[in-house]
Structures are given as structure tokens and as C-alpha cells.
Amino acid sequence: MKSLLRAIAALSIIAAMIPAAAALAQDKQALSGERDKASYMVGMDVAKSLAPAAEDMDLAAFERAVRNSFDGGEPLISEQDAAETGQALMQRVAARSGRPVPGQPPGSQPPTVDKGKVGLLVGADIGRSLAPVKEEIDLPVVMQALKTTLAGGKTLLSDAEADAIRTAFGQRVQASAKARAEQAGIRNAAEGEKFLAANRSVKGVFVTPSGLQYMVLRQGSGPRPHPSDRVRVNYRGTLLDGSVFDTSEQHGGPAEFGLNQVIPGWTEGVSMMPVGAKYRFWIPGDLAYGAKGNDSIEPNSTLVFDVELLDIL
């Protein structure tokens, strides 16, 4: 979906204007505080990125999809409909811009689209993008600014005012994210330490000098890889609460990587495994993603991996 939005944005130079019948003359609601101003700025920015596709989009469906993403709901459009709608939308935007229509012979007419499906498709992507700051903004104000901007109405913020608000908002969001990450890191470190202290006494659990814990689920009979080797594995990764954050299956099958290119707990643990074995690893936060975490894992999280070593490459 990100590639779709990038493609749409690249075609925005001569994008079509919104029909006058859909125009909103201007906003009538004043912005009462920093939250309103930030929300309004976000709406203006989103509108500018969506302008080339706005003619083909139902804004009510768009808002519903954004709200659904904020609530963590399943997509409101099927994968097949999303793929078909996305392709058709790109073709229509290209045709309006005067560029060749992707996948169509010169002079051909672009396909029609269901505006509701376009709204659901684009709204889901925008919702995911805004989800990290959803607590900092009000969606009704975002939508107010978006509608006015798309309609060519007079916005409550000038471009200069929006630029200043954007800078301050970005700094505030970064500060809040840093504070939340620090709190999560403290909490996860304590929970991990408590769990690992109890887990080390479980029958069949072994502990290495680094603090890595493991259990042999199935022993293998092949050679053991060196830390510099490349391996093929099946794996499943979960947090201590059992939630799955990654599996080789969701990427289409066995994964291949160098043992010197992964987190330290993997490098150490997989190097102990003979080919054909399946181990379970409990990896302390300092042997995983540490105090920084990553996009899907909070700082200092203890991770649980079931790993099956298939081959040394």
C-alpha cells in the first residue's frame, strides 16, 4: 500500500481538481488549543498527499477505515479487493495526469472504481500510519481539515502556521515516545528478570554463562554451525505473554541468514544446535534488541523462540 501512495503522490503534478459540488466553503469551527491545531495540521498534510486520488474516494468510508485502524480492527476490505482497487486507482490517477496508464495500451480508458472501496483501502493505510500518534490527535478535527483542504476551501491554518505546528508537534511526539519507551524498558526488564529466575528451575531448561536459556525439543544428529556460517531455519517468535511477533511461515517458508547478522541470543543459541534439532530459546532483553527495541518489540523485552535448524549453507 505504501508503494501505491508513493505512486499516487508522484502523479500529483497535474492532478484533477475536486468537483465544485463537493467543496466546503471554509471551516467555521475555531481551533481551541494545541491538540486541535496539531490535528488540523495533520489533516492538511494528509489531504495534500491524497489529492490526486480524492476524486475517486468516498470520505465517509475513508474515515471509517481510519477509525477502524485506530481501534486495531481487521481490514474492512479483502486482500483481493484491495489489490484490484489499488491497481485500478493507480491507472485512473495516471490517466488524469496525462501519463501512460500502467498495464494499458496508449489511449485506453482507465477502469472504473468503487469509491467506497477506495476509501477503505486508502483509509486503512493512513490509519496505520497515524496509529502511533492517535492519542495525540482528534480524528474529527483531522477530517475537518482534510475535507476543507481537498475542497479548496479556506483553512484555519496558513501554510506557515502549519509548518511551525508540525515542528513543535514532531518534537512533542518524540519526547512522549521516548518517555514511554523508557517506562516500557524498565517494566520489561523487571518482568523478564522475574520470569527467567523462575524458568531456570524448570526441568529441561539449561542456562548459558551469558544468561541465554534453552530447552531441547528435538535433538539433531548433524554438524553444528559456526557463528560465521549461514543457516536455513524454521522459527516462531513470541513475547512472554505468548503473542506471536514473527514466524518463518508468515514469510513464505524457511528463513536463511548469517549467524553474525542476527541478535546475539540467536548467534549463540543456533551455534549450539546440530542440524535437524529443534530448540526453544528464552532470550533476555540484553541478548535481543536491548534498550532500543525495534518497530514491533518494546525495549528490554525477553523473547521466546522455537527454532528448527534445517541446514548449514
Side-chain angles (χ1 to χ4, degrees):
M1 182 59 209
K2 289 182 179 178
S3 61
L4 168 62
L5 289 180
R6 285 196 296 268
I8 291 173
L11 296 170
S12 64
I13 299 175
I14 48 178
M17 296 295 292
I18 307 300
L24 299 175
Q26 90 180 67
D27 290 334
K28 296 182 179 180
Q29 175 183 325
L31 302 176
S32 59
E34 293 303 315
R35 185 182 181 89
D36 271 4
K37 292 177 181 178
S39 302
Y40 201 91
M41 174 274 297
V42 169
M44 290 173 63
D45 284 354
V46 171
K48 291 173 183 177
S49 71
L50 299 184
E55 182 177 326
D56 294 313
M57 183 170 60
D58 178 76
L59 291 180
F62 170 86
E63 181 175 3
R64 185 156 59 94
V66 172
R67 194 176 299 279
N68 178 69
S69 291
F70 282 9
D71 293 339
E74 293 295 321
L76 300 177
I77 182 172
S78 69
E79 290 187 9
Q80 181 177 346
D81 280 347
E84 294 174 353
T85 301
Q87 179 65 24
L89 180 61
M90 289 179 64
Q91 292 175 348
R92 290 179 64 80
V93 173
R96 284 198 297 271
S97 72
R99 295 172 178 264
V101 177
Q104 298 292 328
S108 61
Q109 293 297 312
T112 59
V113 289
D114 183 315
K115 291 186 177 184
K117 290 181 179 179
V118 172
L120 296 178
L121 174 67
V122 179
D125 188 72
I126 295 298
R128 286 190 295 268
S129 298
L130 295 180
V133 297
K134 67 180 183 179
E135 302 300 331
E136 309 287 340
I137 58 177
D138 290 325
L139 186 55
V141 181
V142 172
M143 291 301 302
Q144 177 186 358
L146 183 145
K147 293 174 182 177
T148 299
T149 303
L150 288 178
K154 180 175 176 57
T155 58
L156 294 177
L157 295 174
S158 67
D159 287 343
E161 288 172 327
D163 288 343
I165 292 169
R166 187 182 303 107
T167 299
F169 180 68
Q171 293 171 344
R172 187 166 70 252
V173 167
Q174 288 180 357
S176 296
K178 182 179 180 181
R180 288 195 300 270
E182 290 175 350
Q183 293 171 358
I186 294 171
R187 182 187 68 249
N188 291 330
E191 291 176 353
E193 183 177 353
K194 180 179 179 181
F195 173 86
L196 293 170
N199 194 58
R200 67 187 302 142
S201 63
V202 173
K203 183 179 180 180
V205 173
F206 300 90
V207 185
T208 72
S210 71
L212 175 69
Q213 298 186 3
Y214 70 97
M215 175 184 288
V216 178
L217 303 179
R218 184 183 69 236
Q219 191 56 276
S221 58
R224 289 179 170 82
H226 298 290
S228 58
D229 284 336
R230 188 172 180 82
V231 297
R232 179 183 295 116
V233 300
N234 284 320
Y235 69 88
R236 181 176 184 269
T238 67
L239 302 176
L240 289 181
D241 64 5
S243 57
V244 179
F245 62 84
D246 194 17
T247 69
S248 54
E249 183 179 3
Q250 73 185 48
H251 298 295
E256 299 179 1
F257 52 81
L259 286 182
N260 58 1
Q261 300 174 325
V262 291
I263 57 176
W266 264 74
T267 303
E268 178 184 1
V270 178
S271 295
M272 298 188 300
M273 298 176 65
V275 171
K278 184 175 182 179
Y279 283 18
R280 176 168 297 160
F281 296 106
W282 293 270
I283 303 179
D286 62 337
L287 297 179
Y289 293 98
K292 292 185 177 180
N294 70 9
D295 290 342
S296 59
I297 297 173
E298 291 185 341
N300 295 331
S301 292
T302 296
L303 307 181
V304 186
F305 278 99
D306 285 356
V307 181
E308 181 183 18
L309 179 57
L310 301 176
D311 200 5
I312 301 172
L313 304 177

